[in-house]
Structure formats: C-alpha cells, structure tokens
Amino acid sequence: MAAARGSPGTWRLLLLLLPYQAAGLLDPFSLGIAAASAAALTGYLSNPRFYCGRLVECCEEDKALNITALQADLSTRLFGQHLAHDVIFRALTGFMSYENPKKPLTLSLHGWTGTGKNFVSKIIAENVYDLGMQSKFVHLFVSTVHFPHDKLITKYKDQLQSWIRGNVSQCARSIFIFDEMDKLHTGLIDAIKPFLDYYEHIDGVSYRKAIFIFLSNAGGDMINRAVLEFWKSGKMREELQLKDLESVLSVGLFNNHNSGFWHSSLIDKNLIDFFIPFLPLELTHVKHCVMAELRQRGLGENEELALRVAEDMVYFPKDSRMFSDKGCKTVSAKLNLHL
C-alpha cells in the first residue's frame, strides 16, 4: 500500500519510464532512483520558499516588517517631515507586529504638493512588499482617473466595494492608496466604511490586516498657516507636535466641501487612525531633495549646485521666502536647467 503514495508529478515520470523498463533498458534499481529524485524535486518546487519571489509574487500575510530598513528609508529619503516620520514609523511597525489587529490601518496624509505624501506611500509599499508600487497587492486609485464623472457615483461605489472585496479575498495584507482625495466626489469614500470598521468578518472576509492610505492637498493651507505662526512666534518647526494639528485638521476636512471627507462617516465614526500633516518645506529641505536627485542620477555630491537649484525655486511669504511654494515637486526639472 505504501507504493500507492506519491505526487502526480512522480507518477507521470514513472509512467514515462515503464516502457523502458519493460524493454530491459532500465533496471528496477535505476527506476527507483529516478522515482525518488522526481519526488524530491517535486517537493522542492512545491515549497513556497522556492517559487515565492523567484517565480511569482506571493501574498505573505505574516511577513515580518524590517524595522531597520523602514527607519533608514524615512530618515534618509524623507526631508523636513518629523511628524510624518515619527507617526508613520510607529503606526506601521505597531500594526505589522500585531498578529490580530482590531481594524485595518488607515492613514490620511495632508499637505501642499511636493511635501512628500506620494513619496511616503511609496516607502510604505516598498517596505511591505519587495516590488513596492509594482506589487499586485498594492492598489492605487487616482480620483480624476478612476472616478471622473459625478453622475456615476452609485456605479463607482459598487465597483470600489467589489475591487476591495476581491483583492482582500486574495490577500489580506492588501494596500489601497487613494490619491487626490480633495478631488473625490462627495460621499464616494463612504462606500468603503464597512471595510475600515471593527468587524471581524464581512461575508467571510476579514479586512483587519489591510492598509488604507489617503493622500490629499486639502488642509494644506491650514497646516501652512500653523507652521508660519509657529515660526513667527520664534519656535522651531521641530517643536510642533501631532496634537497641535491633528484635531484641527480632521474638523477642517469634515467641514470642507472640497476635501473628499465632507461630512464623511469615516471621520464621524473615528475610523481614520491618523491624520498626518506634511509641513511646508524650507530651502534646506529642498537642497536635500536636490542632493538626493543628484545621487540618484549618479552625479555624486555637489552642494554648490544643489544650493543654486534650491535657491532658484519659488518661496513664500515674499518678504521672508521661508517656505517652498511647490516643495520638491519640480526639483528634477530645475536641476535639468542647471546641468
């Protein structure tokens, strides 16, 4: 009876070899070695450690987060955002280390263009999945691309729920990024409210290990005013704490018709874990962005060139030129002019 065991691959090989044995071209001993080798090879190839990452990308729901790598990325690639650095590091490491979270991790990133919101979502994706934004488990929705027509909101709600349900069914550790939240039609984002709540399962699917990230320019003016007042009072920007901005930010978004969160149940029911302000960047931060661009292009360290490019950017207020008007958004284009 023991001979009846074996994988389908092993039996296929045996069937192929039987005619050779019958013709006397293969002795029983050699046939046994071939069968054992086939069984061993089949077992090796069927091991997830072999094909995951080599042949296909696999959903590794319980993969440990490399805390050191995440800290290094936030420290060396994100400039001028001490609040975002601290909150995102603690939020992601805490969430990923918890085997049974009570709800999905939900982050809402706010600030002017060029301050690092999209870049941070990229860093998060890269630290959860090796393929980063190219991973089939990372899903990007851009409001003006995926939800352009206000007359189709009902259809979009059904599609959005279906997309999220289908992808989380395939991989519980799915990441969903919603860009241009300030351009999203009012009420649409409430369609995902059940998936962000504290339910253990919805129709047999658990959403508790998923990550939702919202990116928005809404609230940027509010953040800039707060930082400017802080500076005028003689305080360092690094003295700003999350509590100085988070509650004001959430209330402002809830009451802002153009925020994507206007009277949203996501805010009303406290389903967004963190509202993370991205502060306006100063000249020194823009210079760091230029230096990073130079290194990425293989042009080495050139602080003099980096300073010239940074000084060529537009800053506000006009009298003090304290903050970059576009953050680091146009650094690459500006660098091309100087090169």
Side-chain angles (χ1 to χ4, degrees):
M1 295 299 292
R5 300 193 190 96
S7 69
T10 305
W11 281 107
R12 281 195 292 270
L13 178 62
L14 289 173
L15 290 173
L16 289 172
L17 294 177
L18 283 176
Y20 294 92
Q21 185 192 25
L25 299 177
L26 191 66
D27 60 88
F29 180 73
S30 298
L31 181 65
I33 293 177
S37 300
L41 182 60
T42 301
Y44 178 70
L45 293 176
S46 65
N47 190 319
R49 291 182 179 179
F50 173 80
Y51 61 80
C52 285
R54 291 182 175 89
L55 303 179
V56 297
E57 184 188 20
C58 297
C59 174
E60 300 180 71
E61 297 176 8
D62 300 316
K63 178 183 176 181
L65 181 70
N66 188 330
I67 296 177
T68 304
L70 175 62
Q71 181 71 279
D73 281 343
L74 292 172
S75 298
T76 61
R77 300 170 64 190
L78 181 67
F79 308 115
Q81 304 298 350
H82 69 283
L83 292 178
H85 178 156
D86 180 56
V87 176
I88 289 171
F89 177 76
R90 290 189 290 112
L92 191 60
T93 53
F95 179 75
M96 293 283 288
S97 63
Y98 191 19
E99 293 183 3
N100 186 29
K102 300 299 182 183
K103 66 180 293 296
L105 176 63
T106 311
L107 307 173
S108 194
L109 281 48
H110 298 270
W112 265 17
T113 183
T115 51
K117 302 183 300 295
N118 288 85
F119 194 57
V120 159
S121 63
K122 181 174 179 284
I123 288 176
I124 292 174
E126 289 173 349
N127 278 274
V128 176
Y129 290 108
D130 293 336
L131 295 181
M133 296 298 294
Q134 304 303 316
S135 169
K136 63 183 180 181
F137 307 119
V138 177
H139 313 280
L140 173 65
F141 300 101
V142 182
S143 297
T144 52
V145 175
H146 295 97
F147 315 109
H149 306 296
D150 58 356
K151 294 182 179 179
L152 298 178
I153 290 181
T154 301
K155 179 182 178 181
Y156 293 152
K157 285 184 176 182
D158 292 339
Q159 288 179 336
L160 191 53
Q161 288 187 343
S162 178
W163 287 335
I164 293 176
R165 185 183 302 111
N167 284 296
V168 175
S169 297
Q170 293 292 321
C171 180
R173 186 72 79 191
S174 292
I175 300 176
F176 301 95
I177 302 170
F178 294 83
D179 197 7
E180 298 184 344
M181 275 296 298
D182 48 303
K183 298 179 177 64
L184 193 69
H185 301 299
T186 300
L188 177 54
I189 200 62
D190 282 354
I192 71 171
K193 185 261 181 187
F195 307 131
L196 305 187
D197 219 324
Y198 290 82
Y199 300 120
E200 187 171 352
H201 295 92
I202 300 177
D203 294 331
V205 180
S206 174
Y207 298 87
R208 292 181 167 188
K209 287 189 175 183
I211 299 174
F212 292 82
I213 304 172
F214 305 111
L215 311 178
S216 177
N217 290 345
D221 290 340
M222 191 186 315
I223 295 168
N224 291 351
R225 283 196 301 270
V227 178
L228 191 57
E229 289 301 318
F230 218 68
W231 172 69
K232 288 181 177 179
S233 66
K235 298 179 181 178
M236 300 288 290
R237 64 188 283 136
E238 288 76 17
E239 295 180 56
L240 268 170
Q241 299 180 38
L242 186 63
K243 64 181 181 181
D244 296 323
L245 293 168
E246 189 175 34
S247 60
V248 177
L249 191 56
S250 63
V251 172
L253 295 170
F254 186 78
N255 293 311
N256 184 349
H257 195 276
N258 296 316
S259 71
F261 289 111
W262 186 69
H263 288 185
S264 172
S265 60
L266 273 60
I267 296 179
D268 189 42
K269 301 299 182 183
N270 298 311
L271 297 179
I272 297 179
D273 298 311
F274 299 99
F275 290 91
I276 305 175
F278 279 67
L279 312 182
L281 300 182
E282 301 174 16
L283 185 142
T284 184
H285 306 128
V286 178
K287 178 185 171 184
H288 285 310
C289 290
V290 181
M291 294 290 288
E293 181 71 17
L294 286 169
R295 288 192 294 269
Q296 185 176 348
R297 297 189 187 192
L299 299 177
E301 304 283 334
N302 190 330
E303 291 201 21
E304 183 181 347
L305 174 60
L307 181 59
R308 288 205 308 270
V309 175
E311 289 178 336
D312 198 28
M313 304 286 279
V314 177
Y315 293 84
F316 71 96
K318 289 185 178 180
D319 57 341
S320 63
R321 299 185 80 243
M322 187 67 188
F323 303 119
S324 173
D325 185 57
K326 297 179 181 178
C328 289
K329 189 85 171 183
T330 58
V331 156
S332 182
K334 289 286 186 181
L335 179 59
N336 289 337
L337 293 178
H338 286 264
L339 291 175

